[in-house]
Amino acid sequence: MSEKVLDVNEKPQPVRWLALSLQHMFAMFGATILVPQLVGLSPAIALLTSGIATLVFIAVTKFQVPAYLGSSFAFIIPIQIATTTGGIGSAMIGSMFVALVYAIVSLVIWKTGYRWIMKILPPIVVGPVIMVIGLAIAPTAINMASMIQVDGQDVYSGLHFSAALVTLASAVFCLMFFKGIISLMPVLIGIVVGYIYSAAIGILDFSQVVEAKWFAVPDMLIPGVDYSFVVTPTLLIIMVPIAIVTIAEHIGHQLVLGKVVERNYIDNPGLHRSLLGDGIGTLISGMVGGPPKTTYGENIGVLAITRVYSVYVIVGAAVFAIFFSFLGKVMALIATIPQAVLGGISILLFGIIASSGMRMLIDHKIDFDNQRNLVIGSIILVIGIGGATIKFSPTFEVGGMALAAIVGVVLNLVLPGRKDDTLMDE
């Protein structure tokens, strides 16, 4: 491990602090604002809540864990489904119940230890479910990249698809041919290049930027004010099971982050604290209209490259995110990003999500000559990507990613031949 520049509780000099914090904000910026663009939420509120959630997370983990919380891609499909069936408020309610699951799991871990959750979420379950997250929404990326609305109908546009391809190529070029911080921001750089190309070919509309105020309070969605707080079994089954995936993702990030900064975060401050911080951040986000939160691998990558582990740098990034969310002109400019550009970057991003699930299987040497592993992985993939649904009544059904996650956990528990193979390095 290279020698650290700043340890977790060390403060940088003011000017350096400013630069390092801005760097972290830009590393997460592209992905964090992409999620609300895909599900119909406000990018400004997503940015605001990411900053607030990060500050809450750092406080709950006693200023020991330098992690940034951004918008979770795992909830894109569940939010879209919940919004279709009950409105955007329904998705926010579901997000709050996901936070409740985090709190309950955190409490149980606090009282009983963390080994049990490692056993019910082995790589053979988590890996294929992560692959489903990326692959199930792949058609959305392609439609965004190549289709435009004409008289309410989706029509192919070669001009818009060219913007998607330029965006995709720029992000790939950034990943492949640059090193250091630049290689950690392919989403942001791809969007910027795609945006410039879109302006050159004349597919941008700046009218809303001209009309926007310089400072504007982000559009919030408050329960009981902007929507009725109505909880249904269908809503819970759409959103809550995805917590299985995001909890596993959280554990993985804590393990990787611990290796980077040379600490054992599972033990101290404890998995229960980091999960609780993530859950409270998601709860606050849902209560004001933001997407669910998760720790961001992009920012862990920045820590690894800069060797600056200071939690105060992350705090600075969170403060910058909150400040930027109130800049009305900036948020209006973000809203002008063409769907084709977002579609182009989504092709890469969703593919990387799917590939990360595959990588988990490879890293843990999952043997698919073993019939048990073959059965579990195959069923999860087909149920999740195929969108299988079980209807219990006209208003209550379980399907897609949620059903895949549930089936994966159950199969792992009931099929014979289960080994002690967990996400934790023993």
Side-chain angles (χ1 to χ4, degrees):
M1 180 72 71
S2 301
E3 184 179 352
K4 63 179 73 70
V5 176
L6 284 175
D7 206 355
V8 172
N9 294 118
E10 294 179 329
K11 293 181 181 179
Q13 294 296 321
V15 175
R16 195 178 186 190
W17 191 347
L18 180 76
L20 290 168
S21 292
L22 279 172
Q23 185 171 259
H24 270 283
M25 193 202 74
F26 284 121
M28 66 80 192
F29 191 87
T32 291
I33 65 167
L34 178 59
V35 173
Q37 294 275 53
L38 296 175
V39 299
L41 294 173
S42 163
I45 199 66
L47 203 58
L48 172 65
T49 54
S50 78
I52 294 173
T54 299
L55 295 178
V56 168
F57 177 86
I58 289 175
V60 172
T61 55
K62 302 189 293 187
F63 279 74
Q64 294 184 37
V65 185
Y68 194 95
L69 272 61
S71 307
S72 173
F73 280 80
F75 289 94
I76 291 175
I77 290 180
I79 289 175
Q80 289 173 337
I81 295 173
T83 301
T84 301
T85 57
I88 193 65
S90 181
M92 296 300 98
I93 295 169
S95 179
M96 296 177 212
F97 275 91
V98 168
L100 179 60
V101 172
Y102 272 69
I104 293 172
V105 172
S106 173
L107 177 62
V108 174
I109 291 175
W110 180 44
K111 292 297 185 182
T112 65
Y114 57 79
R115 298 284 173 179
W116 63 272
I117 194 168
M118 301 292 192
K119 292 182 183 297
I120 67 171
L121 293 173
I124 186 55
V125 172
V126 177
V129 172
I130 292 175
M131 293 173 70
V132 166
I133 294 173
L135 296 177
I137 201 170
T140 299
I142 300 302
N143 285 338
M144 289 173 61
S146 59
M147 299 292 182
I148 60 173
Q149 285 277 316
V150 177
D151 296 329
Q153 300 292 324
D154 285 334
V155 177
Y156 174 82
S157 170
L159 188 64
H160 286 74
F161 193 40
S162 71
L165 293 178
V166 168
T167 303
L168 176 60
S170 301
V172 171
F173 189 83
C174 176
L175 276 173
M176 296 298 297
F177 299 104
F178 284 92
K179 294 183 179 180
I181 298 302
I182 298 297
S183 68
L184 294 173
M185 298 188 287
V187 174
L188 181 63
I189 292 173
I191 289 175
V192 169
V193 174
Y195 190 86
I196 294 172
Y197 176 81
S198 298
I201 63 175
I203 61 172
L204 296 185
D205 178 8
F206 293 104
S207 58
Q208 57 186 316
V209 180
V210 175
E211 297 170 0
K213 299 178 181 178
W214 279 106
F215 290 94
V217 177
D219 295 327
M220 298 185 183
L221 295 171
I222 308 300
V225 177
D226 296 299
Y227 59 88
S228 300
F229 197 94
V230 178
V231 181
T232 65
T234 301
L235 168 63
L236 296 181
I237 209 67
I238 289 171
M239 296 285 289
V240 169
I242 310 305
I244 297 172
V245 184
T246 51
I247 288 174
E249 179 184 42
H250 177 96
I251 295 170
H253 281 168
Q254 292 302 100
L255 292 172
V256 173
L257 181 59
K259 288 180 181 178
V260 170
V261 304
E262 299 177 294
R263 282 168 168 77
N264 186 345
Y265 285 134
I266 302 297
D267 284 329
N268 184 33
L271 182 59
H272 62 289
R273 277 189 174 272
S274 61
L275 271 176
L276 180 62
D278 206 335
I280 294 176
T282 295
L283 175 64
I284 294 172
S285 182
M287 290 181 69
V288 296
K293 299 295 182 254
T294 185
T295 48
Y296 259 27
E298 291 92 335
N299 296 90
I300 296 175
V302 172
L303 290 172
I305 284 183
T306 62
R307 292 176 285 118
V308 174
Y309 308 145
S310 173
V311 72
Y312 297 101
V313 171
I314 303 297
V315 168
V319 171
F320 273 125
I322 293 171
F323 173 72
F324 267 73
S325 71
F326 285 90
L327 297 181
K329 292 284 188 184
V330 174
M331 292 297 106
L333 192 64
I334 290 171
T336 65
I337 299 173
Q339 289 291 304
V341 170
L342 298 177
I345 205 66
S346 297
I347 291 173
L348 175 63
L349 205 51
F350 297 163
I352 288 176
I353 292 170
S355 296
S356 68
M358 187 185 303
R359 179 179 178 178
M360 178 178 288
L361 298 175
I362 295 171
D363 288 347
H364 288 269
K365 298 180 173 62
I366 301 300
D367 181 13
F368 279 94
D369 283 335
N370 181 309
Q371 298 298 324
R372 183 179 189 277
N373 292 337
L374 185 64
V375 166
I376 295 174
S378 300
I379 292 176
I380 290 174
L381 288 172
V382 174
I383 288 178
I385 298 172
T389 300
I390 297 178
K391 292 189 176 183
F392 296 94
S393 72
T395 59
F396 179 44
E397 62 182 43
V398 185
M401 194 189 309
L403 182 60
I406 294 170
V407 169
V409 169
V410 171
L411 287 175
N412 176 62
L413 294 176
V414 303
L415 291 180
R418 179 159 62 99
K419 296 180 180 179
D420 189 19
D421 180 21
T422 71
L423 290 170
M424 184 81 174
D425 291 327
E426 301 293 345

